[in-house]
Amino acid sequence: HQRSTYETNRRKAENIAAAYRSNLIQTQKLGFTEKKPVPTFAEAAREFLNYSEHQHAAKPATHSRYVVSSQPLLRAFGKVRLDAITPEEIERYKVRRTNQISEKTGRKLRPATVNRELACLKIIFNYFIRLDVIVKNPVSRVKLLAENNEQTRVLSFEEQRLYLLAAPQPLRDVAALMLETGCRPEEIYRIQKSDVNFAEGYLLIPKGKTKAARRKIPLTTNAAELLRRRIAKASGSFLFPHRFDEEKPMLKNKLATSSGSQQERREDFSII
């Protein structure tokens, strides 16, 4: 922004210019704002996860996904300032992670795993762009990996029968309800007594990943009988309660669990 002070005296001109600059900043006529300090990635991740925990309180699995995905990102970028992370560094991270071996499976990490980490990184950058801390998102220039995770295979009736014979409770009832209703596992885990309407013959799924997930599912004879049996056994509101707290569903995300040892939290996942 340039204009004349109409002064021939240098000192007076400098004083006028200083006053004019001060006025511009104070009134924000040109949109000038005080520059906010840029955090390191570790500081940024901590702030974002705190925000995510409250923002996604109704969907703890979403927050859990961010927590899990942020761990390798912290190891790679923890001490780096957010505005110093470049697309080239993210590309190198992507290649490095693609070639790493999973401790769980002993195989290379799946492209989907790396993509979830990149998605988490992108969301963190977008969060701080909204806060006017940074202006660019370097992840937007990084191409995600091709996942090719599609697997189309339908169990035969014999395989279903053998699984149900071998499965222990409560997985046997979970699997049977999945077959009878077409529900996802987590939808089964979260069934409450109030969701079952025997009079009208349906099971209500009150929420899910999308708005369309809320639906009423007609009950088959087998499903209705199984649900009656589960309701009769349930001492709390959930038909498939958590083993340590019957007022919580069986599937309790490890990172959302507030109590219990690490071994206990691992065991919670082993029942899936």
Side-chain angles (χ1 to χ4, degrees), residues 165-177:
L165 285 174
Q169 291 291 12
L171 291 186
R172 184 185 306 161
D173 285 353
V174 170
L177 279 175

Side-chain angles (χ1 to χ4, degrees), residues 22-257:
S22 177
N23 182 61
L24 285 175
I25 292 172
Q26 289 174 7
T27 59
Q28 297 185 356
K29 288 181 178 178
L30 295 183
F32 294 158
T33 55
E34 185 179 352
K35 188 176 181 180
K36 297 180 180 179
V38 179
T40 64
F41 181 77
E43 294 167 339
R46 184 164 56 248
E47 181 176 337
F48 169 77
L49 291 175
N50 183 56
Y51 157 81
S52 170
E53 184 175 12
H54 294 88
Q55 179 70 13
H56 302 293
K59 297 181 179 180
T62 300
H63 172 66
S64 171
R65 178 68 262 173
Y66 292 149
V67 173
V68 172
S69 294
S70 68
Q71 298 309 306
L73 293 169
L74 284 166
R75 291 193 292 270
F77 304 114
K79 296 180 180 179
V80 184
R81 262 185 30 158
L82 210 57
D83 58 352
I85 300 174
T86 65
E88 292 75 20
E89 288 175 314
I90 298 171
E91 283 286 358
R92 288 194 289 271
Y93 170 86
K94 181 178 75 173
V95 173
R96 186 168 65 252
R97 286 291 286 166
T98 303
N99 292 313
Q100 285 183 349
I101 304 299
S102 168
E103 295 180 0
K104 278 187 177 181
T105 65
R107 298 190 295 269
K108 284 186 177 181
L109 291 174
R110 294 186 305 167
T113 300
V114 181
N115 284 346
R116 298 298 84 75
E117 293 168 8
L118 294 176
C120 177
L121 183 60
K122 187 174 185 178
I123 289 169
I124 292 174
F125 272 102
N126 284 337
Y127 173 74
F128 282 91
I129 287 174
R130 292 198 303 273
L131 296 180
D132 294 323
V133 174
I134 54 175
V135 295
K136 293 182 180 179
N137 190 331
V139 190
S140 61
R141 293 169 56 187
V142 177
K143 188 175 181 180
L144 296 180
L145 298 166
E147 296 189 7
N148 299 322
N149 285 337
E150 293 186 9
Q151 297 181 7
T152 303
R153 183 178 181 278
V154 179
L155 292 178
S156 68
F157 288 111
E158 180 62 13
E159 287 173 322
Q160 293 178 22
R161 185 184 69 82
L162 291 174
Y163 177 83
L164 293 176
L165 285 174
Q169 291 291 12
L171 291 186
R172 184 185 306 161
D173 285 353
V174 170
L177 279 175
M178 289 173 64
L179 292 170
E180 294 290 336
T181 64
C183 288
R184 298 182 181 92
E186 187 169 350
E187 292 174 335
I188 300 295
Y189 301 145
R190 296 183 181 280
I191 294 176
Q192 300 187 58
K193 294 176 181 178
S194 58
D195 296 331
V196 185
N197 189 322
F198 291 116
E200 297 184 27
Y202 68 80
L203 169 66
L204 173 66
I205 304 299
K207 61 182 180 179
K209 290 185 176 180
T210 64
K211 291 182 180 179
R214 178 183 170 85
R215 61 201 188 279
K216 294 179 179 179
I217 300 174
L219 292 176
T220 64
T221 302
N222 290 339
E225 182 181 344
L226 193 157
L227 289 169
R228 283 193 177 92
R229 187 170 69 249
R230 298 296 307 189
I231 288 174
K233 288 175 57 179
S235 54
S237 58
F238 287 98
L239 305 196
F240 296 93
H242 189 278
R243 71 177 70 182
F244 303 117
D245 186 348
E246 61 185 20
E247 289 305 319
K248 295 178 181 177
M250 184 173 85
L251 179 64
K252 186 61 181 175
N253 192 285
K254 175 175 67 173
L255 293 163
T257 303

